[in-house]
Amino acid sequence: MHHPHQVEVSSDSSSMLQSALHAQLAGAENVTATLSVDLDAELRFAAGLLALTDRRLVSIEPAGAGHPPAVRSWPLTPALGLRHADHAGVGTLELHDGQARLARWRFTLAVDPQALRLLRHFERRDLPADDLDEDITVCPTCKAPLPADSDVCNVCFRELHTPPSTWVLLRLWRFAHPYRMQLLLGFILTLASTAATLVPPYLTIPLMDDVLIPFQNGQKIETSVVLGYLGGLLAAALFGWALNWWRTYLLALVSERIGADLRTATFDHLLGLSLDYFGSKRTGDLLSRIGSETDRICVFLSLHALDFATDVLMITMTAAVLFSIHPGLALVTLVPLPFIAWMIHVVRDRLRTGFEKIDRVWSEVTSVLADTIPGIRVVKAFAQERREAQRFREANQHNLEVNDRLNKVWSLFTPTVSLLTEIGLLVVWAFGIWLVSHQAVTVGVLTAFLAYIGRFYSRLDSMSRIVSVTQKAAAGAKRIFDILDHVSSVPEPVDPLPAPAHGGLQGRLQMDGVGFRYGNRAIIRNLSLTIQPGEMIGLVGHSGSGKSTLVNLICRFYDVTDGSIRLDGADVRRYRVADYRRHIGLVLQEPFLFFGTIAENIAYGLPNASRAQIVAAARAAHAHEFILRLPQGYDALVGERGQGLSGGERQRISIARALLIDPKILILDEATSAVDTETEKEIQKALDNLVQGRTTIAIAHRLSTLRKADRLVVMDRGQVVEVGPHDELMARQGAYWRLYEAQVRRVDANADKEAEERRPPPTHSAHPAGDA
């Protein structure tokens, strides 16, 4: 179903435009870049084509049904220039000759990479073609080259394409290094316990050859000898049990600590990343990585890695014992090994990508839960329980299908390995019987050999099964290190300035030529503004004009891509992020409260605050009265996201939270837009206390709430278009006046409509007027 105003660009219209272009080209004229224009001058969806050749710029537009396309062209003279801009999802290319605009094309940002490529070729039209190809657009986040005609960075999105490698598990040594002495002791215990388990089969040789077989031939059993051998078997079993217990307990403790350190490091790093990272990730996916992936790695380290090390040692030491007993029989024992190794190699390649896909699919399941449970009120309000249940069912079914495909491979692999080991054991039996029949070995030697082979093959089978858990752990480790390897786009300075003292901070903000791009889209352009200490600034403008983005830049949620923001003359990027943000108080349109008491929420920015400080902040925020009406007062529990409190109550608690840290710079982002008039008056009183003596930047759609501002800054398309007090801007009758008048007319219209609805219906006489 298409948008009602959208005209779908069919393949026929595209072919028609291409044919018209080829008809216009001269014999030796070459096209170097094209742009599929998809909007007309009125911003309606329409097909068009802009082509750059080595001689001119050609524009082709449909002229209507039954008419050939309209064609315009401009020779590539030195005076010809091309400007690119984008705003609110619409890109623009303007052609000018230095004196006037010759043409303009509008298009959606879906084709913006084509526009940037055409602009690049246009600006370097005098260079050879080879040099044009070297001019590559780079990713604004990681500065890696972008693919041609694409704004998707393969480096930033590498985790979607790079299969996990088993070698990634070696990177866990960074977290295991602090416990290297415990790990060394665990390895020694593993070695000793493995050696202890090899003693009993070796004792079966004298038991068979010196006790049982002579006894069958009529010789008397010497009790002391038998007790000696049995005592050795018992001692070896008890010694092996003690070593195994000590080893398992020690390595389990170490693995739990490695897992805890891994979770802590991942969460710490996650908190240090900028907001743009969280904008591209789902909450359920991040929860899955920090939770289930670290648990999987912990289980691998405590159980399976230990088993793998034991298996390797057991196979190596058993092979050495087998060759020492009889080299020929030992060689026959190794017959299944090449086949098992080949199968492990083949299956590992399939499991390598399969388990990471399972992890991503499982994160879809957790993402549905993370979306639905916090928004359960909206789900119930719109009666969408069945829809959300269906979403979860589909995600769960997808997870089931992916697991089924992988299990199909794994279910064939494990029985095949068991079959090969059984065949190997059969071959050893046959060869061993032949050797005994030719008196090459004794029955005791063959019995011990078979006992060792049983352990050898069982360990071989166990090792093959570890392939699965190893690849699972590798996939989980890769997803963890994808977080740890991500570099924040708001980096800490190499040589930071000392943290500004609260008393010595003036709060003067200066923005010089500030620009900000998100991907290929420009949000803020060449913005310059100075805010004096203690001044209250009101940011106004249409939605999408860049107000919230500017506030995000001031808070350093993002860093500017051009220009600088200075605090008391120092670039804010010279301070540590935490040191700088301690001086900023933020009151949002939708205040976020954490699960805990009201006192804990007010003291969130200053955890060591006394109860007297908390109460003083609540009084200044006009929150003290309603807090005391609660059964537990300041110790009343606030539900998740502030459930149980009204919007105005949550807002006043957030104002108290900002007051408590006593910030020098205050940001008010639509602080009163989501409440009723009476509540707004209470919040406004709290805000009046909050802004005293602070540099304040306030965003509000209701322009009447900003009359107390010292200056109003009017923004449009990421630029400042007007600055001044309310009365002065109204007198100019410019951009602010138009915003204000439009809002007044809208308020008056709504008031008239409400009055009309409240007016009682007219009463009519029971008789016609003529009968009076």
Side-chain angles (χ1 to χ4, degrees), residues 608-765:
N608 297 325
S610 65
R611 181 55 63 95
Q613 290 175 300
I614 293 172
V615 172
R619 285 183 181 276
H622 289 257
H624 182 67
E625 290 76 12
F626 85 79
I627 293 175
L628 290 184
R629 288 197 294 269
L630 298 173
Q632 287 82 31
Y634 283 87
D635 295 319
L637 276 177
V638 176
E640 189 175 4
R641 299 173 183 259
Q643 297 295 328
L645 297 176
S646 70
E649 290 170 343
R650 290 198 299 269
Q651 190 63 281
R652 279 176 277 177
I653 289 177
S654 73
I655 292 172
R657 183 166 59 193
L659 271 166
L660 187 61
I661 65 172
D662 193 20
K664 201 64 181 177
I665 299 170
L666 181 63
I667 308 291
L668 305 176
D669 191 354
E670 301 285 352
T672 62
S673 65
V675 295
D676 59 80
T677 305
E678 290 300 320
T679 305
E680 181 182 358
K681 291 179 181 178
E682 289 293 320
I683 294 176
Q684 198 60 52
K685 292 177 185 177
L687 291 176
D688 290 342
N689 293 332
L690 183 58
V691 301
Q692 295 296 325
R694 295 181 172 88
T695 303
T696 305
I697 302 169
I699 300 175
H701 280 124
R702 281 184 272 190
L703 303 181
S704 58
T705 62
L706 294 177
R707 287 191 174 184
K708 295 182 180 179
D710 299 308
R711 285 187 299 161
L712 297 173
V713 176
V714 186
M715 295 188 64
D716 184 39
R717 299 190 177 189
Q719 296 178 312
V720 174
V721 293
E722 283 186 337
V723 179
H726 169 80
D727 295 337
E728 179 183 322
L729 294 181
M730 290 296 292
R732 290 184 194 174
Q733 294 193 356
Y736 178 76
W737 178 82
R738 289 191 294 272
L739 282 171
Y740 193 87
E741 288 297 312
Q743 193 167 99
V744 168
R745 285 195 296 270
R746 190 161 55 248
V747 170
D748 290 343
N750 291 337
D752 292 342
K753 184 178 179 181
E754 291 176 3
E756 183 68 27
E757 291 174 350
R758 287 195 299 266
R759 185 179 302 163
T763 58
H764 299 285
S765 173

Side-chain angles (χ1 to χ4, degrees), residues 92-108:
T92 304
L93 278 180
E94 290 186 351
L95 184 68
H96 59 88
D97 60 1
Q99 298 179 350
R101 188 177 69 193
L102 303 178
R104 182 172 63 179
W105 298 272
R106 312 294 285 274
F107 47 88
T108 65

Side-chain angles (χ1 to χ4, degrees), residues 14 38 49 58 89 106 146 163 170 231 242 245 308 325 363 365 481 561 588 595 637 659 702 712 719 753:
S14 177
D38 54 4
L49 185 65
V58 183
R106 312 294 285 274
L146 290 176
L170 296 179
W245 172 82
F308 181 77
I325 295 175
S363 72
V365 178
F481 283 110
T561 51
L588 300 172
F595 184 86
L637 276 177
L659 271 166
R702 281 184 272 190
L712 297 173
Q719 296 178 312
K753 184 178 179 181

Side-chain angles (χ1 to χ4, degrees), residues 32 71 98 123 151 248 321 357 401 442 497 505 635 646 757:
T32 58
V71 180
E123 291 175 344
D151 58 353
T248 304
V321 173
K357 189 173 183 179
E401 291 170 357
T442 64
L497 292 175
L505 197 66
D635 295 319
S646 70
E757 291 174 350

Side-chain angles (χ1 to χ4, degrees), residues 70-81:
V71 180
R72 293 182 294 167
S73 66
W74 299 266
L76 297 181
T77 61
L80 208 61

Side-chain angles (χ1 to χ4, degrees), residues 206-216 219 221-222 225-226 229:
L207 272 173
M208 293 292 294
D209 293 342
D210 299 338
V211 177
L212 294 179
I213 294 176
F215 176 72
Q216 282 185 331
Q219 294 185 16
I221 294 179
E222 295 185 13
V225 174
V226 173
Y229 287 137

